[in-house]
Amino acid sequence: MNLLKKYTGWFVLGTLALYLISVTQLISVLLPTILAWSANIAMWHSLAPSAKRQVSWLMIIGSMALLFAGSQGTWMTWQQVFAVNIPMLAMFVAVSFLDLTNTADKSSELPTGFKAILNTALGVQILGAVINLSVILVFAERMKAPNKLSPVQQFVLTRSFASAAWWSPFFVATGIALTYAPGMQWQKTLIPGLVMGVVAVIFSTTEAFHRTKGDFKGYPIKRESLFIPVFLALSVILFHYIWPNISILVLICILAPCATILLISTNSRKDSLLKFVNHKLPQIGSQFALFLAAGIFSNGISAIILSYPELFNLDNFTFNPPLFSFVLAAMIIVGVIGVHPVISIAIASPMLLPLNPDPTQLGFLFLSAWAISAGSSGLTGLGLLMTSRYQIPTKVIVMNSLHYAVFMWVLCCIVNWPFL
């Protein structure tokens, strides 16, 4: 165990490296799977008690479901149970490298007014689309008053950040959608996703200005801070156009670390990278635990559904706009009350796939559920961060964004018809 803890960061990095090698079929996916679970064991002690409870329950329920389905003659493969989310973990590790390109400037005064709100919302969405969760911390730490972040600052940051899930190929939500909606074409969700992301920013900016009368301290955005996110996004699009057979997820796993090594601003790349591997990567235990547990849980649910097809027979339904609207509403509701989007997606996918839905439309459903629930809930990742670190009550977070969740749900249902 001590050996595992000492080399935790290298197990995490090895998960990414061996996954990319397994894509070439030179090695089995068993090797990155073993490293991922080894890293999970090593990082378990660092998890918060609430995270341990959630992950433990997911594993227990999933394991019991798998054993029960097995007693009925339905067995899942080890790859389905233990390795289904390895691609997402590899992507998460790759994107984590981008933390090294993120520097906070504390020398300038905080801007105020409508422009400050708009720039903050756009900045956290664009930067967060590539650099992910660390951007929320950078923005919030710079914007907060001596005591805490204001509720208005909170919803501008969380809604705008979460709405990047609609369009960013670097968001974990995209990896989830690509996995649970097989055949999804990310490029086709880009335009409607951008529409949703822009509307989310406009909605939150207008509301924040109305509530604060312009007395809002935002984040000082500079042009150079947007270079890396835009560069990476364009690189993904370009390379996917040149090599369409390489998936978006694999491209991100390759490009994010490579771009970081090339663009990192430091006196010693080697020292910065070693510090990152040894100290930063071992801190992502909650993501590893959640995604690995979700793989067991989702396949347990899938096995039960396969064991009792008559109970989950949706042959009388088609994946039409009304069903899209109903399922999305249900996923948003369970997300707001604390069920992580990856769990609701894992449950919905095996029930909807037998309907032979358009994969891209199904993927847009999953992206929408993630973006809206993550931006509105006080009990999943972003909300818990705001509650624990900035003392914003869960009830305040939820009540501040209920109307936002309803509005974005309606808009998703409308956008779904003409675009998808």
Side-chain angles (χ1 to χ4, degrees):
M1 182 61 72
N2 290 331
L3 187 65
L4 280 179
K5 290 180 180 179
K6 182 178 179 180
Y7 294 104
T8 298
W10 295 98
F11 283 120
V12 174
L13 180 62
T15 301
L16 167 63
L18 292 184
Y19 166 71
L20 288 174
I21 298 174
S22 73
V23 170
T24 67
Q25 298 185 342
L26 292 175
I27 62 172
S28 167
V29 74
L30 175 63
L31 294 179
T33 302
I34 291 174
L35 280 186
W37 280 94
S38 298
N40 182 45
I41 294 171
M43 292 185 286
W44 182 259
H45 72 283
S46 66
L47 299 186
S50 59
K52 289 182 179 179
R53 285 194 298 270
Q54 183 181 17
V55 169
S56 296
W57 277 113
L58 287 174
M59 288 188 176
I60 291 170
I61 295 172
S63 298
M64 291 177 64
L66 286 167
L67 290 173
F68 179 79
S71 71
Q72 304 301 308
T74 302
W75 293 98
M76 311 299 280
T77 65
W78 72 263
Q79 291 96 332
Q80 290 173 307
V81 177
F82 297 107
V84 63
N85 285 334
I86 295 300
M88 266 84 70
L89 288 178
M91 175 181 168
F92 190 86
V93 175
V95 172
S96 296
F97 272 84
L98 297 171
D99 286 347
L100 292 169
T101 68
N102 190 28
T103 57
D105 176 17
K106 296 188 177 182
S107 61
S108 55
E109 292 293 324
L110 295 180
T112 58
F114 181 83
K115 187 177 180 181
I117 304 172
L118 180 61
N119 284 344
T120 298
L122 283 173
V124 78
Q125 183 175 125
I126 295 171
L127 288 168
V130 177
I131 303 174
N132 282 2
L133 192 59
S134 61
V135 166
I136 285 279
L137 292 171
V138 171
F139 274 56
E141 290 295 320
R142 184 73 175 89
M143 292 165 58
K144 71 176 182 178
N147 295 324
K148 61 182 180 180
L149 209 65
S150 76
V152 176
Q153 288 174 316
Q154 172 268 314
F155 76 64
V156 168
L157 290 176
T158 54
R159 291 182 195 170
S160 301
F161 172 79
S163 60
W166 267 302
W167 60 268
S168 171
F170 291 92
F171 237 67
V172 174
T174 301
I176 293 287
L178 290 168
T179 299
Y180 286 95
M184 171 192 173
Q185 294 180 285
W186 169 78
Q187 302 92 319
K188 290 185 178 180
T189 65
L190 180 59
I191 299 300
L194 284 170
V195 169
M196 297 301 301
V198 169
V199 171
V201 165
I202 294 172
F203 186 99
S204 298
T205 299
T206 304
E207 182 184 355
F209 183 75
H210 176 74
R211 289 180 57 170
T212 62
K213 307 302 181 185
D215 186 18
F216 177 99
K217 292 186 176 181
Y219 185 83
I221 296 291
K222 295 185 177 181
R223 290 183 180 178
E224 53 267 27
S225 63
L226 301 178
F227 171 75
I228 291 175
V230 173
F231 171 78
L232 282 171
L234 292 177
S235 297
V236 169
I237 294 171
L238 174 64
F239 280 104
H240 189 66
Y241 177 78
I242 297 173
W243 293 297
N245 292 331
I246 301 179
S247 72
I248 294 289
L249 191 148
V250 171
L251 281 176
I252 292 169
C253 288
I254 297 171
L255 289 173
C258 290
T260 297
I261 294 171
L262 288 173
L263 300 174
I264 185 174
S265 178
T266 180
N267 294 328
S268 172
R269 282 186 173 85
K270 180 181 178 181
D271 290 344
S272 296
L273 289 169
L274 285 174
K275 183 179 179 181
F276 173 78
V277 172
N278 288 318
H279 300 287
K280 185 69 176 182
L281 287 184
Q283 296 176 13
I284 61 175
S286 60
Q287 286 79 15
F288 262 61
L290 178 62
F291 285 122
L292 292 174
I296 295 176
F297 178 83
S298 64
N299 277 283
I301 299 298
S302 299
I304 295 293
I305 292 173
L306 291 172
S307 298
Y308 296 95
E310 66 280 0
L311 296 179
F312 300 95
N313 188 347
L314 298 177
D315 288 345
N316 294 328
F317 295 88
T318 56
F319 192 69
N320 53 20
L323 184 61
F324 177 99
S325 303
F326 174 79
V327 174
L328 178 57
M331 295 177 75
I332 292 171
I333 291 170
V334 298
V336 169
I337 63 176
V339 177
H340 195 282
V342 71
I343 305 304
S344 59
I345 291 171
I347 294 173
S349 177
M351 296 183 66
L352 295 174
L353 285 176
L355 302 181
N356 296 314
D358 177 82
T360 302
Q361 189 179 29
L362 183 62
F364 183 68
L365 168 69
F366 294 158
L367 293 177
S368 299
W370 189 297
I372 297 174
S373 60
S376 307
S377 174
L379 295 172
T380 52
L382 284 175
L384 290 173
L385 175 65
M386 291 297 167
T387 299
S388 60
R389 194 175 182 94
Y390 302 108
Q391 294 79 53
I392 300 176
T394 299
K395 183 179 179 180
V396 172
I397 295 175
V398 173
M399 296 306 295
N400 267 341
S401 290
L402 277 180
H403 60 290
Y404 165 80
V406 172
F407 176 82
M408 298 307 288
W409 168 72
V410 172
L411 185 60
C412 276
C413 298
I414 295 173
V415 168
N416 175 49
W417 284 338
F419 280 102
L420 299 167

